[in-house]
Amino acid sequence: MTSESVQPMSGPSRRTVVAAVGAAGLTVALTACGSDDKASDPSTEQGATGGATNEGGGSSAGAGAGGAALAKTTDIPEGSGKIFKDEKVVVSQPAAGDYKAFSTICTHQNCPMVDLKDDIISCACHGSQFSVLDGSVKKGPAVKPLEAKKVAVNGDSITLA
């Protein structure tokens, strides 16, 4: 007979367990940061309206359906703007008689934005903020400005061009 000792089978080493836990944690973190989940629909949330209207009236035509009257010039406050949810645009008046329009889709991860306060439109998904006067990013994580849309003013009527 031999005097071999029988060694029980061992489980994974401590190094293997730590590496697996670290990899799982990294996967969860990256999934959360890169998620395109639209579970929280910001279109149902109400934002503050510090001097600007954030509910879109106007026509019920979809975005890109030019020609339909969107608003009257008197509906757009100077130095601020008004969101038109159905058309997915915000129309602003940076200076008296100067009207601009921008997409209300955040350039970070394409979330719709409905929170307008003064001249800042905010994304409820990740907190990006944009100026409705020129479309520029005021606060990240977005780095690209809002997409400009063309508007036409005919008398006191504003339409998407």
Side-chain angles (χ1 to χ4, degrees), residues 42-65:
S43 65
T44 61
E45 297 177 17
Q46 295 287 334
T49 59
T53 304
N54 72 343
E55 295 280 337
S59 73
S60 61

Side-chain angles (χ1 to χ4, degrees), residues 70 82-84 87-91 102-104 149 160:
L70 191 59
K82 182 175 181 178
I83 293 175
F84 298 89
E87 292 81 4
K88 297 181 179 136
V89 297
V90 58
V91 177
F102 300 95
S103 169
T104 57
K149 300 289 186 176
L160 285 174

Side-chain angles (χ1 to χ4, degrees), residues 22-88:
L26 182 62
T27 301
V28 169
L30 291 176
T31 301
C33 290
S35 175
D36 199 15
D37 186 349
K38 304 257 190 315
S40 68
D41 184 6
S43 65
T44 61
E45 297 177 17
Q46 295 287 334
T49 59
T53 304
N54 72 343
E55 295 280 337
S59 73
S60 61
L70 191 59
K72 295 201 175 291
T73 55
T74 55
D75 294 339
I76 311 302
E78 186 177 341
S80 188
K82 182 175 181 178
I83 293 175
F84 298 89
K85 286 185 198 177
D86 292 342
E87 292 81 4
K88 297 181 179 136

